[in-house]
Amino acid sequence: MAQAAFLSAHLGFRAASTPIPSYDVPMTPQIAAAMKAGNLGTRWPQHKTKRRVMPTGEHPGMHIASLTDFGSRPFASVALAGGYRYIEIMQTLLRLFRAGGYVDHNASVTVINGPIGKMRRDLRVWLTSGGSADIEHSLVRRGLSESHE
């Protein structure tokens, strides 16, 4: 069974088991830039004020670590599905996950981008295949290497 996680403009990168409160926050260019500029320890959501002494929020490192048993079971196959801003952020996170040992450097990467109905269909096919489906879609790219991310 495939492991799943999500990327949210409000919550950042989280394991799929994370409860999602109702919110309405679009992935703006500013939010995307802030997420791409961060690292595995960057907490999200970011607070507007600096009044808090202790940082709050959760960070991608804690979720990817739990999904991979702290790197002892790195992912060999990954699918990135979403709009172009989400894909750009996920590719940045993928580089960090590989550097941290959470995703195998030779892992196959499937990028699913296009109309939402087709993305949902293609992601379902990928998930039910255990990450090995050869998805036929004009906007899907398979086997990205470091230089193409």
Side-chain angles (χ1 to χ4, degrees):
M1 173 71 83
Q3 295 269 5
F6 66 90
L7 178 66
S8 157
H10 178 65
L11 298 172
F13 178 85
R14 302 286 173 103
S17 59
T18 304
I20 303 172
S22 180
Y23 71 91
D24 184 20
V25 179
M27 182 62 78
T28 64
Q30 295 80 12
I31 291 173
M35 286 186 174
K36 289 191 307 190
N39 58 41
L40 294 185
T42 302
R43 294 181 181 272
W44 211 264
Q46 294 182 326
H47 291 280
K48 305 280 187 227
T49 66
K50 301 288 184 188
R51 294 189 330 201
R52 294 188 181 266
V53 176
M54 294 296 292
T56 60
E58 298 181 19
H59 54 83
M62 65 191 284
H63 289 284
I64 194 67
S66 69
L67 289 169
T68 62
D69 200 18
F70 296 90
S72 66
R73 294 181 300 139
F75 289 108
S77 181
V78 176
L80 310 177
Y84 72 95
R85 284 191 187 126
Y86 287 89
I87 295 295
E88 288 178 353
I89 296 163
M90 289 184 281
Q91 288 173 332
T92 299
L93 288 171
L94 180 59
R95 282 191 289 278
L96 295 170
F97 295 159
R98 281 181 166 155
Y102 302 112
V103 174
D104 189 280
H105 285 281
N106 297 317
S108 68
V109 177
T110 301
V111 177
I112 303 170
N113 176 263
I116 191 130
K118 291 181 179 180
M119 286 192 302
R120 288 177 178 168
R121 178 201 65 202
D122 291 347
L123 181 58
R124 181 180 189 283
V125 168
W126 187 88
L127 285 167
T128 58
S129 74
S132 63
D134 186 21
I135 299 169
E136 295 289 330
H137 188 280
S138 61
L139 298 175
V140 173
R141 297 177 305 203
R142 294 196 44 82
L144 288 179
S145 66
E146 287 289 330
S147 62
H148 293 105
E149 291 175 36

